[in-house]
Amino acid sequence: MTVVIATRDRAGELGRTLSRLAGLPEQPAVIVVDNASRDGTADLVRRGHPGVRLIQLPRNRGAVARNIGAAAAVTRFVAFCDDDSWWEPGALDCAARALESCPALAVVAGQILVGPGGEPDPVNSAMARSPLEQDGLPGPRVLGFLACAAVVRRAAFLEVGGFSDVLVFGGEEKLLAMDLAAAGWTAAYISGACARHWPSARRDEAARRRLDARNEVLTAWLRRPAGHALAATAGLARRLGRDPAAAGALASLLRVLPRALRQRRVLPAATEADVRALARWDRERRP
């Protein structure tokens, strides 16, 4: 098992995460991919954690940094961390056993406990109650996950190209889950693979909302039927004037859309049916 961490300008939080990982009984290899930090991140890793492999990128590649880390790993399985998250003792062994037991399994989506109090992230219950057929998997089949609590089969991850260089960051896991499913792989929620997440105080929430809104529509153009993509674009446009994130999201979408269209591959019918089934289920369970 190798743990891959993509980071940018969070040296203090990264140091805490690396110390936590160093104390794990599994003793995984660790690769840090630094997205052109300017706060001394590289020096912190070199001085304080000499056993960690450091890859420094000349510019911020966003989630693509995880692809670079996974390609550099030499183990069959790769666990992702954010710089503000880490794995609980025994979690990586649990994930490895699940992946070993099921050759079609590409992703173990782990349980997430948030903050010092270990509050369950709402995504846990959503994944645990997934309506998709389990198909003999060691846990509920899911079509999405959070990267800070995901362990992947390295060969499958690299086979489908990893995280998208079009999305850069924000909702990138959803597109990857679709691509893995389209290629015949599966993902399952395994509660025993538990990660801790202490959300960083250094977060630009406005920028994150713009990226999330943009990437939701970009994902539609990359993989969904044209009618769905057009409807998603129109929905974003209707939010102009009442959602502060919409204008920036739409402007960014228009700049990136030509490149996204060159990478467009519509999902197979079976995967599209699963995506639609999950969307209906999600609408029905919300108040």
Side-chain angles (χ1 to χ4, degrees):
M1 185 75 69
T2 299
V3 175
V4 169
I5 306 171
T7 189
R8 177 174 169 83
D9 290 335
R10 291 182 183 173
E13 288 156 305
L14 175 65
R16 177 185 62 191
T17 290
L18 292 176
S19 295
R20 298 274 188 167
L21 294 175
L24 291 179
E26 296 97 326
Q27 291 292 289
V30 179
I31 297 174
V32 169
V33 187
D34 180 19
N35 270 316
S37 292
R38 297 159 295 183
D39 68 344
T41 287
D43 288 340
L44 176 141
V45 175
R46 290 193 190 98
R47 289 199 306 267
H49 304 275
V52 170
R53 180 175 178 183
L54 173 67
I55 300 174
Q56 290 182 267
L57 302 184
R59 62 185 178 88
N60 184 4
R61 300 288 304 278
V64 172
R66 299 190 192 112
N67 302 353
I68 294 168
V74 296
T75 54
R76 284 187 297 150
F77 308 137
V78 170
F80 294 117
C81 275
D82 288 345
D83 42 30
D84 59 358
S85 73
W86 56 88
W87 292 93
E88 288 278 82
L92 298 181
D93 273 348
C94 175
R97 288 194 299 271
L99 289 161
E100 291 274 14
S101 72
C102 184
L105 184 63
V107 181
V108 167
Q111 178 183 189
I112 304 171
L113 302 179
V114 181
E119 296 298 321
D121 191 299
V123 75
N124 298 338
S125 60
M127 291 192 291
R129 295 185 292 116
S130 170
L132 300 176
E133 291 292 331
Q134 191 160 328
D135 296 335
L137 294 173
R141 183 163 67 96
V142 295
L143 198 54
F145 56 91
L146 295 183
C148 71
V151 181
V152 301
R153 190 180 299 274
R154 178 177 175 271
F157 177 82
L158 296 177
E159 174 192 316
V160 301
F163 293 107
S164 168
D165 63 350
V166 175
L167 300 185
V168 182
F169 187 75
E172 68 276 8
E173 301 97 334
K174 180 178 180 179
L175 179 59
L176 175 60
M178 290 180 184
D179 285 347
L180 285 165
W185 295 99
T186 59
Y189 172 63
I190 308 292
S191 61
C194 184
R196 300 296 294 258
H197 183 206
W198 287 22
S200 173
R202 303 191 63 181
R203 300 165 73 92
D204 186 339
E205 293 296 343
R208 182 60 183 262
R209 286 193 294 272
R210 288 194 299 272
L211 279 173
D212 285 346
R214 181 199 74 166
N215 287 351
E216 184 71 22
V217 181
L218 273 177
T219 298
W221 280 109
L222 283 161
R223 297 293 182 267
R224 307 294 303 280
H228 179 89
L230 287 167
T233 307
L236 179 60
R238 285 195 296 271
R239 289 159 54 183
L240 293 172
R242 59 183 175 84
D243 181 351
L250 188 59
S252 180
L253 170 70
L254 295 175
R255 288 194 298 270
V256 180
L257 188 56
R259 185 155 66 99
L261 291 175
R262 290 195 292 273
Q263 298 184 23
R264 177 173 166 80
R265 300 193 310 272
V266 177
L267 294 172
T271 307
E272 174 64 22
D274 281 344
V275 172
R276 290 176 181 267
L278 276 174
R280 286 194 300 271
W281 175 77
D282 191 52
R283 287 193 300 268
E284 291 167 359
R285 74 185 182 90
R286 290 178 183 274

